[in-house]
Coordinates of all heavy atoms in Angstrom, one line a residue:
M1 N 79.1 113.4 98.9 CA 79.8 113.3 97.6 C 80.6 114.5 97.3 O 80.1 115.6 97.5 CB 78.7 113.1 96.5 CG 79.2 112.9 95.1 SD 77.9 112.7 93.9 CE 78.1 114.2 93.1
I2 N 81.8 114.3 96.9 CA 82.7 115.5 96.6 C 82.9 115.5 95.1 O 83.1 114.5 94.5 CB 84.0 115.3 97.4 CG1 84.8 116.6 97.3 CG2 84.8 114.1 97.0 CD1 85.9 116.7 98.3
R3 N 82.9 116.7 94.6 CA 83.1 116.9 93.1 C 84.1 118.1 92.9 O 83.9 119.2 93.5 CB 81.7 117.2 92.5 CG 81.8 117.4 91.0 CD 80.4 117.5 90.4 NE 79.6 118.6 91.0 CZ 79.5 119.8 90.3 NH1 80.0 120.0 89.2 NH2 78.8 120.8 90.9
K4 N 85.1 117.8 92.1 CA 86.1 118.8 91.8 C 85.5 119.8 90.7 O 85.0 119.3 89.7 CB 87.4 118.2 91.2 CG 88.5 119.2 91.1 CD 89.7 118.6 90.4 CE 90.2 117.3 91.0 NZ 91.4 116.9 90.3
I5 N 85.5 121.1 91.0 CA 85.0 122.1 90.0 C 86.2 122.6 89.2 O 86.1 122.8 88.0 CB 84.3 123.2 90.8 CG1 83.1 122.6 91.5 CG2 83.9 124.3 89.9 CD1 82.4 123.6 92.4
K6 N 87.3 123.0 89.9 CA 88.4 123.7 89.2 C 89.7 123.3 89.9 O 89.8 123.1 91.1 CB 88.1 125.2 89.3 CG 89.2 126.0 88.7 CD 88.8 127.5 88.8 CE 89.8 128.4 88.4 NZ 89.5 129.8 88.7
E7 N 90.8 123.2 89.1 CA 92.1 122.9 89.6 C 93.1 123.9 88.9 O 93.1 123.9 87.6 CB 92.5 121.5 89.3 CG 93.9 121.1 89.8 CD 94.2 119.6 89.6 OE1 93.3 118.8 89.7 OE2 95.4 119.3 89.4
T8 N 93.8 124.6 89.7 CA 94.8 125.6 89.1 C 96.2 125.3 89.6 O 96.4 125.2 90.9 CB 94.4 127.0 89.6 OG1 93.0 127.2 89.2 CG2 95.2 128.1 88.9
Q9 N 97.1 125.2 88.7 CA 98.5 125.0 89.1 C 99.2 126.3 89.3 O 99.0 127.3 88.6 CB 99.2 124.3 87.9 CG 98.6 122.9 87.5 CD 99.1 121.8 88.4 OE1 100.1 121.9 89.1 NE2 98.4 120.7 88.4
F10 N 100.0 126.4 90.4 CA 100.9 127.5 90.7 C 102.3 127.0 90.8 O 102.8 126.8 91.9 CB 100.4 128.2 92.0 CG 99.1 128.9 91.9 CD1 98.0 128.3 92.4 CD2 99.0 130.2 91.4 CE1 96.7 128.9 92.3 CE2 97.8 130.8 91.3 CZ 96.6 130.1 91.7
P11 N 103.0 126.9 89.7 CA 104.4 126.3 89.7 C 105.4 127.1 90.5 O 106.3 126.5 91.1 CB 104.8 126.2 88.2 CG 103.8 127.0 87.5 CD 102.6 127.2 88.3
L12 N 105.3 128.4 90.5 CA 106.3 129.2 91.2 C 106.1 129.1 92.7 O 107.0 129.2 93.5 CB 106.1 130.7 90.9 CG 106.6 131.1 89.5 CD1 106.3 132.5 89.2 CD2 108.0 130.7 89.3
L13 N 104.9 128.8 93.2 CA 104.6 128.6 94.6 C 104.6 127.1 95.0 O 104.4 126.8 96.2 CB 103.2 129.2 94.9 CG 103.1 130.7 94.7 CD1 101.7 131.2 95.0 CD2 104.1 131.5 95.6
N14 N 104.8 126.2 94.0 CA 104.8 124.8 94.3 C 103.5 124.3 94.9 O 103.6 123.6 95.9 CB 106.0 124.4 95.1 CG 107.3 124.5 94.3 OD1 107.3 124.3 93.1 ND2 108.4 124.8 95.0
R15 N 102.4 124.7 94.4 CA 101.1 124.3 95.0 C 100.1 124.2 93.9 O 100.2 124.8 92.8 CB 100.7 125.2 96.1 CG 100.1 126.5 95.7 CD 99.6 127.3 96.8 NE 99.1 128.6 96.4 CZ 99.1 129.7 97.1 NH1 99.7 129.7 98.3 NH2 98.6 130.8 96.6
I16 N 99.0 123.5 94.2 CA 97.8 123.4 93.4 C 96.6 124.0 94.2 O 96.5 123.6 95.4 CB 97.5 121.9 93.0 CG1 98.7 121.3 92.3 CG2 96.3 121.8 92.2 CD1 98.6 119.8 92.2
E17 N 95.8 124.8 93.6 CA 94.6 125.3 94.2 C 93.4 124.5 93.6 O 93.3 124.5 92.4 CB 94.4 126.8 94.1 CG 93.2 127.3 94.8 CD 93.1 128.8 94.7 OE1 93.8 129.5 95.4 OE2 92.4 129.2 93.8
V18 N 92.6 123.9 94.5 CA 91.5 123.1 94.0 C 90.2 123.6 94.6 O 90.2 123.9 95.8 CB 91.7 121.6 94.4 CG1 90.6 120.8 93.7 CG2 93.1 121.1 93.9
V19 N 89.2 123.7 93.8 CA 87.8 124.1 94.2 C 86.9 122.9 94.2 O 86.9 122.3 93.1 CB 87.3 125.3 93.4 CG1 85.9 125.7 93.9 CG2 88.2 126.5 93.4
Y20 N 86.3 122.6 95.3 CA 85.4 121.4 95.3 C 84.0 121.9 95.7 O 83.8 122.9 96.3 CB 85.9 120.4 96.4 CG 87.1 119.6 96.0 CD1 88.3 119.9 96.5 CD2 87.0 118.5 95.2 CE1 89.4 119.2 96.2 CE2 88.1 117.8 94.9 CZ 89.3 118.1 95.4 OH 90.4 117.4 95.1
E21 N 83.0 121.0 95.4 CA 81.7 121.2 95.9 C 81.3 119.8 96.5 O 81.5 118.8 95.9 CB 80.7 121.5 94.7 CG 79.3 121.8 95.2 CD 78.4 122.2 94.0 OE1 78.0 121.3 93.3 OE2 78.2 123.4 93.8
I22 N 80.8 119.9 97.7 CA 80.3 118.8 98.5 C 78.8 118.8 98.6 O 78.2 119.8 99.0 CB 81.0 118.7 99.8 CG1 82.5 118.6 99.7 CG2 80.4 117.5 100.6 CD1 83.2 118.7 101.0
D23 N 78.1 117.7 98.2 CA 76.7 117.6 98.4 C 76.4 116.7 99.6 O 76.8 115.6 99.6 CB 76.1 117.0 97.1 CG 74.6 117.0 97.2 OD1 74.0 117.7 98.0 OD2 74.0 116.2 96.4
H24 N 75.8 117.3 100.6 CA 75.6 116.6 101.9 C 74.1 116.7 102.3 O 73.8 117.2 103.3 CB 76.5 117.1 103.0 CG 76.5 118.6 103.1 ND1 75.6 119.3 103.9 CD2 77.3 119.6 102.6 CE1 75.8 120.6 103.9 NE2 76.9 120.8 103.0
A25 N 73.3 116.2 101.4 CA 71.8 116.2 101.6 C 71.4 115.5 102.9 O 71.9 114.4 103.2 CB 71.1 115.6 100.4
K26 N 70.6 116.2 103.7 CA 70.0 115.6 104.9 C 71.1 115.3 106.0 O 71.0 114.4 106.8 CB 69.2 114.4 104.7 CG 68.0 114.7 103.8 CD 67.1 113.5 103.6 CE 65.9 113.8 102.7 NZ 65.0 112.7 102.5
Q27 N 72.3 115.9 105.9 CA 73.4 115.8 106.8 C 73.9 117.1 107.2 O 73.7 118.1 106.5 CB 74.5 114.9 106.2 CG 74.1 113.5 105.8 CD 75.2 112.8 105.1 OE1 76.2 113.3 104.9 NE2 75.0 111.5 104.9
A28 N 74.7 117.2 108.3 CA 75.3 118.4 108.7 C 76.5 118.7 107.7 O 77.0 117.8 107.0 CB 75.8 118.3 110.1
T29 N 77.0 119.9 107.8 CA 78.2 120.3 107.0 C 79.3 119.4 107.5 O 79.6 119.3 108.7 CB 78.5 121.8 107.2 OG1 77.4 122.5 106.8 CG2 79.7 122.2 106.4
P30 N 80.1 118.8 106.6 CA 81.2 117.9 107.0 C 82.3 118.7 107.8 O 82.5 119.9 107.5 CB 81.8 117.4 105.7 CG 80.8 117.8 104.6 CD 79.9 118.8 105.1
K31 N 82.9 118.0 108.7 CA 84.0 118.6 109.5 C 85.2 118.8 108.6 O 85.4 118.1 107.6 CB 84.3 117.7 110.7 CG 83.2 117.5 111.6 CD 82.9 118.7 112.4 CE 81.8 118.4 113.4 NZ 81.2 119.5 113.9
R32 N 86.1 119.7 109.0 CA 87.3 119.9 108.2 C 88.2 118.7 108.0 O 88.8 118.4 107.0 CB 88.1 121.0 108.8 CG 87.4 122.4 108.8 CD 88.2 123.5 109.5 NE 89.1 124.2 108.7 CZ 88.9 125.1 107.8 NH1 87.6 125.5 107.6 NH2 89.8 125.7 107.1
E33 N 88.2 117.8 109.1 CA 89.0 116.6 109.1 C 88.5 115.6 108.0 O 89.2 115.0 107.3 CB 89.1 115.9 110.4 CG 89.8 116.7 111.5 CD 88.9 117.8 112.1 OE1 87.7 117.7 112.1 OE2 89.5 118.8 112.6
Q34 N 87.1 115.5 108.0 CA 86.5 114.7 107.0 C 86.8 115.1 105.6 O 87.0 114.3 104.7 CB 85.0 114.6 107.2 CG 84.6 113.9 108.5 CD 83.1 114.1 108.8 OE1 82.5 115.0 108.3 NE2 82.6 113.2 109.6
I35 N 86.7 116.4 105.4 CA 87.0 117.0 104.0 C 88.4 116.7 103.6 O 88.6 116.3 102.5 CB 86.7 118.5 104.1 CG1 85.2 118.8 104.3 CG2 87.1 119.2 102.8 CD1 84.9 120.3 104.6
I36 N 89.3 116.9 104.5 CA 90.7 116.7 104.2 C 91.0 115.2 103.8 O 91.7 114.9 102.9 CB 91.7 117.2 105.3 CG1 91.7 118.7 105.4 CG2 93.1 116.6 105.1 CD1 92.4 119.3 106.5
K37 N 90.3 114.3 104.5 CA 90.5 112.9 104.2 C 89.9 112.6 102.8 O 90.5 111.8 102.1 CB 89.8 112.0 105.3 CG 90.5 112.0 106.6 CD 89.8 111.1 107.6 CE 90.6 111.2 108.9 NZ 89.9 110.4 110.0
Q38 N 88.8 113.2 102.4 CA 88.3 113.0 101.1 C 89.2 113.5 100.0 O 89.4 112.9 99.0 CB 86.9 113.6 101.0 CG 85.8 112.9 101.8 CD 84.5 113.6 101.6 OE1 84.4 114.7 101.2 NE2 83.4 112.9 102.0
I39 N 89.8 114.7 100.3 CA 90.8 115.3 99.3 C 92.0 114.4 99.2 O 92.5 114.2 98.1 CB 91.1 116.7 99.7 CG1 89.9 117.6 99.6 CG2 92.3 117.2 98.8 CD1 90.1 119.0 100.2
V40 N 92.5 113.9 100.3 CA 93.7 113.0 100.3 C 93.4 111.7 99.5 O 94.2 111.3 98.7 CB 94.1 112.6 101.8 CG1 95.0 111.4 101.8 CG2 94.7 113.7 102.5
A41 N 92.2 111.2 99.6 CA 91.8 110.0 98.8 C 91.8 110.3 97.3 O 92.2 109.5 96.5 CB 90.5 109.4 99.3
E42 N 91.3 111.5 97.0 CA 91.1 111.8 95.6 C 92.5 112.2 94.9 O 92.8 111.8 93.8 CB 90.1 112.9 95.4 CG 89.9 113.2 93.9 CD 88.8 114.2 93.7 OE1 87.7 114.1 94.4 OE2 88.9 115.1 92.8
M43 N 93.2 113.1 95.6 CA 94.5 113.6 95.1 C 95.7 112.8 95.3 O 96.8 113.1 94.8 CB 94.7 115.1 95.6 CG 93.6 116.0 95.2 SD 93.4 116.3 93.5 CE 94.8 117.3 93.1
K44 N 95.6 111.8 96.2 CA 96.7 110.9 96.5 C 97.9 111.7 97.0 O 99.0 111.6 96.5 CB 97.1 110.0 95.3 CG 96.0 109.1 94.9 CD 96.3 108.3 93.6 CE 95.2 107.4 93.2 NZ 93.9 108.0 92.9
T45 N 97.7 112.4 98.1 CA 98.7 113.2 98.7 C 98.7 113.0 100.2 O 97.8 112.2 100.7 CB 98.6 114.7 98.3 OG1 99.7 115.4 98.8 CG2 97.3 115.3 98.8
S46 N 99.5 113.7 101.0 CA 99.5 113.6 102.4 C 98.6 114.6 103.1 O 98.5 115.7 102.5 CB 101.0 113.8 102.9 OG 101.0 113.9 104.3
E47 N 98.1 114.3 104.2 CA 97.2 115.3 104.9 C 98.0 116.5 105.4 O 97.5 117.6 105.5 CB 96.6 114.6 106.2 CG 95.5 113.6 105.9 CD 94.9 113.1 107.2 OE1 94.9 113.8 108.2 OE2 94.4 112.0 107.2
N48 N 99.3 116.3 105.6 CA 100.2 117.4 106.1 C 100.3 118.5 105.0 O 100.8 119.6 105.3 CB 101.5 116.9 106.5 CG 101.4 115.9 107.6 OD1 100.4 115.9 108.3 ND2 102.4 115.0 107.7
L49 N 100.1 118.2 103.7 CA 100.4 119.1 102.6 C 99.1 119.9 102.2 O 99.2 120.6 101.2 CB 101.0 118.4 101.4 CG 102.3 117.6 101.7 CD1 102.7 116.9 100.5 CD2 103.4 118.6 102.2
I50 N 98.0 119.7 102.9 CA 96.7 120.3 102.5 C 96.3 121.4 103.5 O 96.4 121.2 104.7 CB 95.6 119.3 102.3 CG1 96.0 118.3 101.3 CG2 94.3 119.9 102.0 CD1 95.0 117.1 101.2
T51 N 95.9 122.6 102.9 CA 95.3 123.6 103.8 C 94.0 123.9 103.2 O 93.8 124.1 101.9 CB 96.2 124.9 103.9 OG1 96.3 125.4 102.6 CG2 97.5 124.6 104.5
L52 N 93.0 124.1 104.0 CA 91.6 124.5 103.5 C 91.6 126.0 103.7 O 91.7 126.5 104.8 CB 90.5 123.8 104.3 CG 90.4 122.3 104.2 CD1 89.2 121.8 105.0 CD2 90.1 122.0 102.7
Q53 N 91.4 126.7 102.6 CA 91.3 128.2 102.7 C 89.9 128.7 103.0 O 89.8 129.6 103.9 CB 91.8 128.8 101.3 CG 93.2 128.5 101.0 CD 94.2 129.0 102.1 OE1 94.0 130.2 102.6 NE2 95.1 128.2 102.6
K54 N 88.9 128.1 102.4 CA 87.6 128.5 102.7 C 86.6 127.3 102.6 O 86.8 126.5 101.8 CB 87.1 129.6 101.6 CG 87.7 130.9 101.7 CD 87.1 131.9 100.8 CE 87.8 133.2 101.0 NZ 87.2 134.2 100.1
V55 N 85.7 127.3 103.5 CA 84.6 126.3 103.5 C 83.3 127.2 103.5 O 83.0 127.8 104.6 CB 84.7 125.3 104.6 CG1 83.5 124.4 104.6 CG2 86.0 124.6 104.6
I56 N 82.5 127.2 102.5 CA 81.4 128.1 102.4 C 80.1 127.2 102.2 O 80.0 126.5 101.2 CB 81.5 129.0 101.2 CG1 82.8 129.8 101.2 CG2 80.3 130.0 101.1 CD1 83.3 130.3 99.9
T57 N 79.2 127.4 103.1 CA 77.9 126.7 103.0 C 76.8 127.8 103.1 O 76.8 128.6 104.0 CB 77.7 125.7 104.2 OG1 78.7 124.8 104.2 CG2 76.3 125.0 104.0
G58 N 76.0 127.8 102.1 CA 74.9 128.8 102.1 C 73.8 128.4 103.1 O 73.6 127.2 103.4
F59 N 73.1 129.4 103.7 CA 72.1 129.1 104.7 C 71.0 128.3 104.1 O 70.4 128.6 103.0 CB 71.5 130.4 105.2 CG 70.5 130.2 106.3 CD1 70.8 129.8 107.5 CD2 69.1 130.4 105.9 CE1 69.8 129.6 108.5 CE2 68.2 130.2 106.9 CZ 68.5 129.8 108.2
G60 N 70.7 127.2 104.7 CA 69.6 126.3 104.3 C 69.9 125.4 103.1 O 69.0 124.8 102.5
T61 N 71.1 125.4 102.6 CA 71.4 124.6 101.5 C 72.2 123.3 101.9 O 72.8 123.3 103.0 CB 72.3 125.3 100.4 OG1 73.5 125.7 101.0 CG2 71.6 126.6 99.9
A62 N 72.2 122.3 101.1 CA 72.9 121.1 101.4 C 74.2 121.0 100.5 O 74.6 119.9 100.2 CB 72.0 119.9 101.1
K63 N 74.7 122.1 100.1 CA 75.9 122.1 99.2 C 77.0 123.0 99.9 O 76.6 124.1 100.3 CB 75.6 122.6 97.8 CG 74.8 121.6 97.0 CD 74.7 121.9 95.6 CE 73.9 120.9 94.9 NZ 74.0 120.8 93.5
T64 N 78.2 122.5 99.9 CA 79.3 123.3 100.5 C 80.3 123.5 99.4 O 80.7 122.5 98.7 CB 79.9 122.6 101.7 OG1 78.9 122.4 102.7 CG2 81.1 123.3 102.2
K65 N 80.8 124.7 99.2 CA 81.9 125.0 98.3 C 83.2 125.2 99.1 O 83.1 125.9 100.2 CB 81.6 126.2 97.5 CG 82.6 126.5 96.4 CD 82.2 127.7 95.6 CE 83.2 128.1 94.6 NZ 82.8 129.3 93.8
L66 N 84.3 124.6 98.7 CA 85.5 124.8 99.4 C 86.7 125.0 98.5 O 86.7 124.6 97.4 CB 85.8 123.6 100.4 CG 86.1 122.3 99.8 CD1 87.5 122.0 99.8 CD2 85.3 121.2 100.6
I67 N 87.7 125.8 99.0 CA 88.9 126.0 98.3 C 90.0 125.4 99.2 O 90.2 125.7 100.4 CB 89.1 127.5 98.1 CG1 88.0 128.1 97.3 CG2 90.5 127.8 97.4 CD1 88.0 129.6 97.3
A68 N 90.8 124.6 98.5 CA 91.9 123.9 99.2 C 93.2 124.2 98.4 O 93.2 124.3 97.2 CB 91.7 122.4 99.3
E69 N 94.3 124.3 99.2 CA 95.6 124.4 98.6 C 96.4 123.1 98.9 O 96.5 122.7 100.1 CB 96.3 125.6 99.1 CG 95.7 126.9 98.6 CD 96.3 128.2 99.1 OE1 97.1 128.1 100.1 OE2 96.1 129.2 98.6
I70 N 97.1 122.5 97.9 CA 97.9 121.3 98.1 C 99.3 121.7 97.7 O 99.6 122.0 96.6 CB 97.3 120.2 97.2 CG1 95.9 119.9 97.6 CG2 98.2 118.9 97.4 CD1 95.2 119.0 96.6
Y71 N 100.2 121.6 98.7 CA 101.6 121.9 98.5 C 102.4 120.7 98.1 O 102.0 119.6 98.4 CB 102.2 122.6 99.7 CG 101.6 124.0 100.0 CD1 100.4 124.1 100.7 CD2 102.2 125.1 99.5 CE1 99.9 125.4 100.9 CE2 101.7 126.4 99.7 CZ 100.5 126.5 100.4 OH 100.0 127.7 100.6
K72 N 103.5 120.9 97.4 CA 104.4 119.8 97.0 C 105.2 119.3 98.1 O 105.5 118.1 98.2 CB 105.2 120.2 95.8 CG 104.4 120.5 94.6 CD 105.2 120.5 93.3 CE 104.3 120.9 92.2 NZ 104.5 120.3 91.0
T73 N 105.8 120.2 99.0 CA 106.6 119.7 100.1 C 106.2 120.4 101.4 O 105.5 121.5 101.4 CB 108.1 120.1 99.8 OG1 108.2 121.5 99.8 CG2 108.6 119.4 98.5
E74 N 106.6 119.9 102.5 CA 106.3 120.4 103.8 C 107.0 121.8 103.9 O 106.4 122.7 104.6 CB 106.9 119.5 104.9 CG 106.5 119.8 106.3 CD 105.0 119.4 106.6 OE1 104.6 118.4 106.1 OE2 104.4 120.1 107.4
E75 N 108.2 122.0 103.4 CA 108.9 123.3 103.4 C 108.1 124.4 102.7 O 108.0 125.5 103.2 CB 110.3 123.2 102.8 CG 111.3 122.3 103.5 CD 112.6 122.2 102.8 OE1 112.7 122.8 101.7 OE2 113.5 121.6 103.3
D76 N 107.5 124.0 101.6 CA 106.7 125.0 100.8 C 105.5 125.4 101.7 O 105.1 126.6 101.7 CB 106.3 124.5 99.5 CG 107.4 124.3 98.5 OD1 108.4 125.0 98.6 OD2 107.4 123.4 97.7
L77 N 104.9 124.5 102.3 CA 103.8 124.7 103.1 C 104.1 125.7 104.3 O 103.4 126.7 104.6 CB 103.2 123.4 103.7 CG 102.1 123.6 104.7 CD1 100.8 124.1 104.0 CD2 101.8 122.3 105.4
Q78 N 105.3 125.4 105.0 CA 105.7 126.2 106.1 C 106.0 127.7 105.6 O 105.7 128.6 106.3 CB 106.9 125.6 106.8 CG 106.7 124.3 107.4 CD 105.6 124.3 108.5 OE1 105.5 125.3 109.2 NE2 104.8 123.3 108.6
K79 N 106.6 127.8 104.5 CA 107.0 129.1 104.0 C 105.8 130.0 103.5 O 105.7 131.2 103.7 CB 107.9 129.0 102.8 CG 109.3 128.6 103.1 CD 110.2 128.7 101.9 CE 111.2 127.7 101.8 NZ 112.0 127.6 100.6
L80 N 104.9 129.3 102.8 CA 103.9 130.1 102.0 C 102.5 130.1 102.6 O 101.7 131.0 102.4 CB 103.8 129.5 100.6 CG 105.1 129.6 99.8 CD1 105.0 128.8 98.6 CD2 105.4 131.0 99.5
A81 N 102.1 129.1 103.4 CA 100.7 129.0 103.9 C 100.5 130.0 105.0 O 101.3 130.4 105.8 CB 100.5 127.6 104.5
K82 N 99.2 130.6 104.9 CA 98.8 131.5 105.9 C 98.6 130.8 107.3 O 98.1 129.7 107.3 CB 97.5 132.2 105.5 CG 97.6 133.0 104.3 CD 96.2 133.5 103.9 CE 96.2 134.1 102.6 NZ 94.8 134.5 102.1
K83 N 99.1 131.4 108.3 CA 98.9 130.8 109.6 C 97.6 131.3 110.2 O 97.3 132.5 110.2 CB 100.0 131.1 110.6 CG 101.3 130.5 110.1 CD 102.5 130.9 111.0 CE 103.8 130.3 110.4 NZ 104.9 130.8 111.1
N84 N 96.8 130.4 110.8 CA 95.6 130.8 111.5 C 95.9 131.4 112.8 O 97.0 131.4 113.3 CB 94.5 129.7 111.5 CG 95.0 128.6 112.4 OD1 95.8 128.7 113.3 ND2 94.4 127.4 112.3
K85 N 94.9 132.0 113.4 CA 95.1 132.8 114.6 C 95.6 131.9 115.8 O 96.4 132.4 116.6 CB 93.7 133.4 115.0 CG 93.8 134.6 116.0 CD 92.5 135.2 116.1 CE 92.6 136.5 116.9 NZ 91.4 137.3 117.0
K86 N 95.1 130.7 115.9 CA 95.5 129.8 117.0 C 97.0 129.5 116.9 O 97.7 129.5 117.9 CB 94.7 128.5 117.0 CG 93.3 128.7 117.4 CD 92.6 127.3 117.3 CE 91.1 127.5 117.6 NZ 90.4 126.3 117.5
V87 N 97.5 129.2 115.7 CA 98.9 128.9 115.5 C 99.8 130.1 115.8 O 100.8 130.0 116.5 CB 99.2 128.5 114.0 CG1 100.7 128.3 113.8 CG2 98.4 127.2 113.8
K88 N 99.4 131.3 115.4 CA 100.1 132.6 115.7 C 100.2 132.8 117.2 O 101.3 133.2 117.7 CB 99.5 133.8 115.1 CG 99.7 133.8 113.6 CD 99.0 135.1 113.0 CE 99.1 135.2 111.6 NZ 98.4 136.3 111.0
E89 N 99.2 132.5 118.0 CA 99.2 132.8 119.4 C 100.1 131.8 120.1 O 100.7 132.1 121.1 CB 97.7 132.6 120.0 CG 96.9 133.8 119.6 CD 95.4 133.6 120.0 OE1 95.1 132.5 120.5 OE2 94.6 134.5 119.7
E90 N 100.2 130.6 119.6 CA 101.1 129.6 120.2 C 102.6 129.9 120.1 O 103.4 129.5 120.9 CB 100.8 128.2 119.6 CG 99.5 127.6 120.0 CD 99.1 126.3 119.3 OE1 99.9 125.8 118.5 OE2 98.0 125.8 119.6
Q91 N 102.9 130.6 119.0 CA 104.4 130.9 118.8 C 104.9 132.0 119.5 O 104.7 132.9 120.0 CB 104.6 131.1 117.3 CG 104.3 129.9 116.5 CD 104.6 130.1 115.0 OE1 104.7 131.2 114.5 NE2 104.6 129.0 114.3

């Protein structure tokens, strides 16, 4: 079960930052792909426009807190999103 905690608009950056909490009792921490699919279903946007900034699960808990950024266009995502280490090495 995914629950939105906070939503912040950043109009100058053309993005929305959303904080979610996922309750996954008696299950493993959800994979990043599963989390993105749940966010896509709730926010009605494309998978290509979402970046997960942090996925935090406390030791021994069944709750995960995550921070996601949702961009308005693919161009904004390319300009503003932080690139992870794997992407930097490929370029």
